[in-house]
Amino acid sequence: MAASTHTVTNQAPPLVGYDVFAADRVLVEAVDRHLDPELLDEAREELTVLGRTSGSAQVQEWGVLANENPPKLRTHDRYGNRTDEVEFHPAWHRLLGKGVSAGLTSAWSRPGGHLRRAAAFVIWTQVEAGNGCPLSMTHAAVPALRTDPALAAEWEPRLTSTVYDPGLRPAAEKAGVLFGMGMTEKQGGSDVRANTTEARPLAEDGTYELTGHKWFCSAPMSDGFLVLAQAPGGLTCFLVPRVLEDRTRNVFRIQRLKDKLGNRSNASSEVEFDGTWARRVGDEGRGVRTIIEMVAATRLDCVLGSASLMRQAVAQAVHHCTYRQAFGGKLIDKPLMRNVLADLALESEAATTLALRLAAAYDDGGEQERAFLRLAVPAAKYWVTKRCTPVAVEALECLGGNGYVEESGMPRLLRESPLNSIWEGAGNVQALDVLRALQREPGALDAYLREVGRARGADHRLDGAIKNLLAELADLDGIEGRARRLVERIATVLQGSLLVRYAPPEVADAFCASRLGGDWGSAFGTLPHSLDLATVVERARPVS
Ligand SMILES: Cc1cc2nc3c(=O)[nH]c(=O)nc-3n(C[C@H](O)[C@H](O)[C@H](O)COP(=O)(O)OP(=O)(O)OC[C@H]3O[C@@H](n4cnc5c(N)ncnc54)[C@H](O)[C@@H]3O)c2cc1C
């Protein structure tokens, strides 16, 4: 449009009004690959609807509004009574409502549910990552609750419901509920054995009262929480409802909301329990064993969430460079920019491919696949989430100065990008968990080696990397201090093997040459120039 002083030219149009699913070839192929053919038509249809919704101007606007208007804590009403409520912008409720109705909490109740949900999660959280937190915790609470069949029978239908029913009312009166978790305390997060919150039995029926605190408790407006506390028999998992059956509010004092780097739409709080009513889940002393079921599922969501952020960052970068011209040509055609974009696209494709493979293993549920997940989930949580921030930074730079400006959406992606590596167990904790799986569960390594072995013989760099990995695994001396290097190798070998089996040869070739063959620099954009990078970039272009 002509202004009085100049005409605006050479600015890329916004990436809006597109199908986020169809535009992501890697995701579409992963769904086609892993889903039972009988479910495919229905799943594609659902994901297309969600993809179009996610790419719409309206939903993108909700994402902006939910972050520009973060939640507010209302501890008291005007008369001084405690209320402990969190007030959200309407955009947050719309986002969360869409997420729930799209089945993001319903994976456990339908065939192929994990893969379908995983694809939906990758699509949906590209618009706004904050609402992924309550969606994830609600989804993940199901397997932990299943350790108590009576509790599961009562709560599971509410958790897996596709109805978003906000507001503090007894769960039995609601068409759908949300769940959170409370593990981290001030004196210890990774080391939950340091929890000091106490649980005093009220009766023989598994009811207790809790006294203590939680230093991080996200989504405090949820209807229930799985909480760890010290019972007489040791650290135990409890279900804490926000509202009791008699309609009175449980004691759940929200002290503050955290002022966070990113993830600003989502309320993360500090809470205190004081005679708070709770119901035991699983046996006393088995708290970690019980809640680990929830943690395993949220860790997979961290992988999916990082794959989603990387995909959005790369889509924005490739889109921008498709339109922006400099020095007589489009940026996407400049050899050096093409190298940067291809390198970013590889990281994104490897993340999505791995994440969806893990989701498919959840659906399978067999012994082999469970053993594979035991090693592959913490390794992927370590590596994929670690790659997210470098990808977000470099993708931002592809937009030049525009990328540094809030309106581009890139700063929000960047602020969000470190989070998946921290919560649900930070990087070192994941690496140590991989060691634990290696040392205590030999079936996990066997299942992993069987998986990567399927690609043996297809690429000499992959074969070499597998050989090196086996040599490293044979020497576990001083392994704790070098766990990160080992876990990085475990993850990149797995990614390489999946790309060799499933991705176009240009993608697999570039990944193996750089990540496994070592022909690569320390920054993105350092791929060997002999590779077919134009094909890699074109594959990542968000066209639907
Ligand atoms: C936005 C946000 C929301 C959150 N929401 C929730 C929630 O809803 N519920 C909840 O329970 N928690 C929540 N958390 C807490 C989160 O899970 C913890 O912050 C995380 O697990 C790390 O624990 P910590 O903060 O106590 O750090 P620490 O345990 O003190 O760890 C600090 C560092 O030390 C490393 N480390 C720990 N042990 C070892 C070791 N043995 N060897 C080497 N390095 C080690 C860790 O990797 C980490 O880098 C949230 C956190 C954030 C940032």
Side-chain angles (χ1 to χ4, degrees):
M1 188 183 294
S4 58
T5 57
H6 66 289
T7 307
V8 177
T9 61
N10 196 23
Q11 290 278 3
L15 180 53
V16 70
Y18 75 115
D19 178 346
V20 176
F21 175 55
D24 187 345
R25 291 172 189 75
V26 179
L27 188 62
V28 170
E29 287 170 21
V31 170
D32 287 358
R33 178 161 62 241
H34 293 301
L35 201 60
D36 179 346
E38 285 190 9
L39 303 170
L40 207 48
D41 285 346
E42 188 192 60
R44 275 203 202 122
E45 217 168 285
E46 272 175 25
L47 294 169
T48 300
V49 171
L50 187 64
R52 289 188 183 140
T53 307
S54 304
S56 69
Q58 174 159 72
V59 171
Q60 290 189 10
E61 177 69 6
W62 292 348
V64 171
L65 288 171
N67 282 275
E68 282 181 353
N69 300 280
K72 294 190 184 99
L73 174 60
R74 305 289 184 212
T75 50
H76 295 81
D77 69 11
R78 60 190 286 204
Y79 304 107
N81 302 303
R82 271 205 92 107
T83 50
D84 297 292
E85 293 211 24
V86 182
E87 194 180 287
F88 291 89
H89 189 272
W92 166 266
H93 291 294
R94 292 191 182 115
L95 285 166
L96 198 47
K98 281 267 180 221
V100 170
S101 66
L104 283 161
T105 58
S106 321
W108 305 97
S109 58
R110 58 184 193 161
H114 289 285
L115 190 87
R116 294 164 80 159
R117 175 187 176 276
F121 197 81
V122 170
I123 294 166
W124 185 242
T125 53
Q126 285 185 50
V127 197
E128 204 287 305
N131 81 112
C133 173
L135 291 170
S136 178
M137 292 195 292
T138 303
H139 155 74
V142 171
L145 284 171
R146 282 181 178 175
T147 54
D148 183 325
L151 270 186
E154 186 186 344
W155 285 88
E156 196 171 320
R158 300 170 189 154
L159 285 155
T160 55
S161 160
T162 51
V163 179
Y164 176 53
D165 191 356
L168 293 184
R169 304 195 308 285
E173 295 174 15
K174 299 185 77 170
V177 300
L178 295 174
F179 252 57
M181 69 159 92
M183 297 194 294
T184 312
E185 297 188 1
K186 295 184 181 87
Q187 71 286 347
S190 310
D191 188 1
V192 289
R193 293 167 308 175
N195 273 194
T196 59
T197 295
E198 271 183 41
R200 194 175 67 81
L202 289 173
E204 289 298 307
D205 61 354
T207 59
Y208 291 70
E209 60 176 27
L210 308 187
T211 304
H213 78 283
K214 293 292 161 186
W215 184 227
F216 277 93
C217 183
S218 291
M221 71 298 174
S222 297
D223 301 283
F225 298 82
L226 289 182
V227 169
L228 286 182
Q230 302 286 0
L235 196 61
T236 305
C237 181
F238 294 93
L239 191 163
V240 172
R242 279 277 344 237
V243 181
L244 301 173
E245 277 171 19
D246 65 3
R247 303 177 141 263
T248 58
R249 290 190 179 184
N250 207 355
V251 181
F252 192 93
R253 291 194 192 120
I254 306 177
Q255 305 295 98
R256 288 194 289 181
L257 296 188
K258 301 285 194 188
D259 184 7
K260 297 175 287 185
L261 168 67
N263 196 257
R264 297 185 71 83
S265 62
N266 177 35
S268 300
S269 67
E270 297 163 19
V271 296
E272 295 207 345
F273 306 128
D274 187 4
T276 300
W277 189 91
R279 169 87 151 68
R280 196 183 68 234
V281 186
D283 292 336
E284 278 194 13
R286 306 272 297 171
V288 173
R289 200 33 90 92
T290 305
I291 211 164
I292 204 73
E293 297 287 338
M294 181 175 191
V295 174
T298 52
R299 283 181 179 171
L300 175 56
D301 275 8
C302 292
V303 181
L304 291 164
S306 292
S308 159
L309 286 174
M310 285 193 261
R311 169 60 195 161
Q312 182 57 208
V314 172
Q316 292 289 351
V318 176
H319 173 79
H320 178 86
C321 294
T322 303
Y323 291 93
R324 180 75 167 179
Q325 306 226 7
F327 300 100
K330 287 182 179 164
L331 286 176
I332 200 169
D333 295 326
K334 304 283 179 192
L336 190 51
M337 182 56 96
R338 187 186 294 148
N339 198 325
V340 173
L341 293 173
D343 216 353
L344 291 170
L346 286 181
E347 206 62 51
S348 166
E349 174 149 3
T352 302
T353 305
L354 174 54
L356 272 282
R357 169 68 185 89
L358 299 179
Y362 257 95
D363 277 327
D364 179 285
E367 204 179 314
Q368 273 300 324
E369 290 289 83
R370 282 209 314 274
F372 169 63
L373 287 169
R374 176 64 191 92
L375 186 68
V377 169
K381 159 78 161 88
Y382 171 74
W383 185 239
V384 172
T385 64
K386 274 272 169 276
R387 299 305 287 154
C388 196
T389 300
V391 166
V393 169
E394 196 64 63
L396 179 155
E397 189 171 323
C398 292
L399 276 71
N402 283 4
Y404 202 70
V405 173
E406 204 61 48
E407 284 168 321
S408 73
M410 301 305 277
R412 174 147 61 92
L413 289 180
L414 179 58
R415 285 194 299 271
E416 187 75 23
S417 66
L419 181 53
N420 283 319
S421 184
I422 297 173
W423 61 12
E424 307 307 330
N428 288 353
V429 170
Q430 299 308 311
L432 295 173
D433 194 39
V434 170
L435 294 191
R436 206 170 301 124
L438 287 172
Q439 284 156 353
R440 295 195 197 155
E441 296 172 55
L445 180 60
D446 291 347
Y448 167 86
L449 291 175
R450 198 167 300 119
E451 176 74 11
V452 299
R454 293 196 171 108
R456 254 204 174 129
D459 185 290
H460 67 280
R461 293 148 307 190
L462 175 62
D463 290 347
I466 295 174
K467 202 169 139 214
N468 292 340
L469 177 59
L470 287 172
E472 199 161 342
L473 285 167
D475 169 22
L476 295 184
D477 197 32
I479 193 66
E480 190 167 330
R482 53 189 174 90
R484 279 189 177 220
R485 285 184 61 144
L486 175 70
V487 176
E488 178 177 330
R489 282 210 177 127
I490 289 174
T492 49
V493 164
L494 179 55
Q495 287 182 322
S497 74
L498 294 171
L499 294 181
V500 162
R501 285 165 68 197
Y502 303 130
E506 297 81 0
V507 171
D509 188 24
F511 188 91
C512 290
S514 53
R515 276 71 172 168
L516 303 180
D519 193 356
W520 199 30
S522 316
F524 286 108
T526 52
L527 294 168
H529 79 280
S530 55
L531 297 167
D532 180 356
L533 302 184
T535 301
V536 177
V537 175
E538 180 53 28
R539 181 169 164 79
R541 212 151 63 80
V543 275
S544 53

